[in-house]
Amino acid sequence: MLTPLLSSKELFELMRLIQNSRNIVICCHHGPDGDAIGSSLGLQFYLRGLHKKTNIVAPSPYPDFLKWMPENRSITVYSEQKSTAIHLIDSADLIFCLDFNAFHRLNAMQEILEKSKAIKVMIDHHENPEEEKFNLVISQPQMPSTSEMIFHIIYQLGAYEKMSRSHAACIYTGMMTDTGAFTYNSNNPETFYIIALLMKRGIDKDEIYKKVYHSWSANKLKLWSYILNNNLTFYANNSACIYTLTREEMKTYKYIRGDAEGLVNEPLKIKGMKLSIALREDTEENIIRVSMRSANGFHCRQLAEEWFNGGGHEDAAGGKLPMPMEEAVKTAEKAIESIDF
Ligand SMILES: [Mn+2]
């Protein structure tokens, strides 16, 4: 048996909100990752199974390596189909916000969401939720992924037996990508019990791994090699490092969305590495995107808040710097100097 995620009060309230709704929209954060897309599709499968009119609106496009996912074509991308997205949000009476807990994570879609009079439900696993902006908050920072939370909820609502293989595959993908294929945040035995339950619904987990992680282009491999060889600098006796990625370099290696995803984890393969910082020029705005990962007892979330206008999880955080790359590097170096490793 799974430990229930929701209290009976929360479960009842969620059921009531779903029953009373006619038009449901599911939103995820800007720059959707596997968990954002997996949890959104996972919830949509459930709600459509109840014959509820349900649509997913994502603020910006998601990576190509997720484009095999069942029903992913049903997702409306705001930055590409603005009027459809606005129409969907405006006609919604219930909006689920998945895998984010603060409206600024919606970027350009923030205002439309904030203006909407629909009932808003947050289901998320990040720290410090903006609780006051939602009608129902299901926030569980100890959970490894929002997709795992969606599984729990569907299970508690008694719909597990009806879960299709496609439905299970979406949930599994989100659980897998948010834990680096179950290599971090994944020591709870219940996670593996859920994987077993998903396998019983017919998923091929080895095939899903291949579709997500073995779908590189030759250019992506060359880009990673180039960055690691030329742009990676070590600090504090190899306890910390910074690498940069410019638009010029992206052009050289025919960069497409998602090509740099995961690269920030690579330096953590070095024994004793505590902090990896990635500085990437944004492709649209004149800002530097900051991604961080930490390990070996150091936690990077506070650093993201104090130095990089951001936040996130204890060991996976990020932010942005409104300055050119050279200054961003100096800022990151100062941030590293402030740490007593
Ligand atoms: Mn997540």
Side-chain angles (χ1 to χ4, degrees):
M1 264 298 279
L2 277 179
T3 312
L5 183 84
L6 304 187
S7 66
S8 43
K9 198 181 149 208
E10 285 173 320
L11 197 65
F12 184 79
E13 179 62 4
L14 184 64
M15 277 169 65
R16 191 184 67 83
L17 293 176
I18 292 170
Q19 269 161 14
N20 291 346
S21 67
R22 292 175 153 271
N23 266 311
I24 304 177
V25 161
I26 300 168
C27 291
C28 61
H29 55 78
H30 174 85
D33 55 10
D35 189 30
I37 298 299
S39 59
S40 297
L41 289 169
L43 182 60
Q44 179 174 262
F45 267 105
Y46 169 72
L47 294 169
R48 285 187 172 176
L50 299 176
H51 306 293
K52 287 285 172 186
K53 187 172 174 271
T54 309
N55 286 285
I56 300 169
V57 182
S60 62
Y62 47 95
D64 284 354
F65 63 77
L66 299 175
K67 291 196 173 151
W68 61 271
M69 288 178 76
E71 303 285 312
N72 83 86
R73 278 160 206 263
S74 71
I75 298 171
T76 301
V77 176
Y78 172 79
S79 60
E80 290 171 351
Q81 299 158 272
K82 246 178 212 168
S83 58
T84 313
I86 292 171
H87 173 74
L88 287 172
I89 294 169
D90 281 347
S91 37
D93 54 9
L94 177 60
I95 296 178
F96 282 96
C97 296
L98 301 193
D99 204 36
F100 70 99
N101 63 13
F103 277 120
H104 73 86
R105 301 276 339 262
L106 291 162
N107 278 30
M109 234 167 77
Q110 174 172 1
E111 223 187 294
I112 305 155
L113 248 283
E114 271 181 322
K115 265 198 268 165
S116 158
K117 292 196 169 60
I119 304 263
K120 296 183 189 98
V121 177
M122 175 209 299
I123 303 176
D124 178 64
H125 69 132
H126 295 84
E127 306 269 352
N128 307 322
E130 280 181 349
E131 301 202 11
E132 64 287 352
K133 296 195 175 163
F134 297 85
N135 301 78
L136 177 62
V137 173
I138 301 171
S139 168
Q140 303 254 2
Q142 84 289 356
M143 290 296 288
S145 63
T146 302
S147 298
E148 187 165 328
M149 293 174 72
I150 293 294
F151 181 89
H152 270 279
I153 291 167
I154 290 168
Y155 189 86
Q156 275 190 272
L157 289 165
Y160 167 70
E161 294 299 333
K162 279 197 221 148
M163 187 178 278
S164 67
R165 175 193 165 109
S166 295
H167 188 181
C170 293
I171 293 174
Y172 181 78
T173 302
M175 290 173 62
M176 180 184 77
T177 52
D178 252 26
T179 55
F182 309 103
T183 59
Y184 49 82
N185 284 339
S186 54
N187 274 326
N188 187 340
E190 291 216 325
T191 298
F192 290 84
Y193 182 53
I194 292 173
I195 295 171
L197 290 171
L198 292 169
M199 290 172 76
K200 283 189 179 170
R201 305 317 302 167
I203 63 160
D204 182 338
K205 69 171 197 56
D206 300 348
E207 193 58 34
I208 293 174
Y209 181 93
K210 241 176 75 186
K211 281 176 179 163
V212 171
Y213 294 109
H214 292 182
S215 60
W216 288 33
S217 65
N219 275 318
K220 178 171 172 177
L221 188 69
K222 285 187 185 173
L223 173 72
W224 281 44
S225 318
Y226 173 84
I227 299 287
L228 296 175
N229 201 25
N230 298 287
N231 295 5
L232 182 65
T233 313
F234 295 100
Y235 300 88
N237 269 327
N238 294 351
S239 295
C241 64
I242 300 173
Y243 72 79
T244 57
L245 172 57
T246 64
R247 284 181 192 167
E248 198 56 42
E249 289 159 342
M250 291 180 207
K251 227 167 104 188
T252 307
Y253 292 96
K254 300 188 171 57
Y255 177 92
I256 55 163
R257 201 175 305 105
D259 271 359
E261 201 163 303
L263 178 52
V264 67
N265 293 308
E266 280 305 280
L268 296 182
K269 290 177 178 169
I270 297 167
K271 195 173 182 182
M273 181 59 70
K274 293 186 173 179
L275 172 64
S276 169
I277 302 180
L279 302 173
R280 176 173 59 84
E281 285 181 355
D282 191 83
T283 47
E284 284 141 38
E285 295 169 73
N286 277 324
I287 55 165
I288 304 295
R289 297 255 165 222
V290 184
S291 273
M292 287 191 286
R293 296 291 183 274
S294 52
N296 296 309
F298 179 74
H299 303 296
C300 62
R301 182 165 61 89
Q302 208 183 334
L303 213 63
E305 289 167 5
E306 283 174 13
W307 292 84
F308 303 113
N309 313 300
H313 301 289
E314 285 298 301
D315 290 320
K320 52 188 171 185
L321 291 172
M323 55 182 73
M325 185 59 92
E326 278 171 40
E327 282 176 50
V329 171
K330 283 182 190 143
T331 304
E333 285 176 340
K334 277 189 207 153
I336 289 175
E337 277 167 31
S338 78
I339 306 161
D340 187 18
F341 284 115

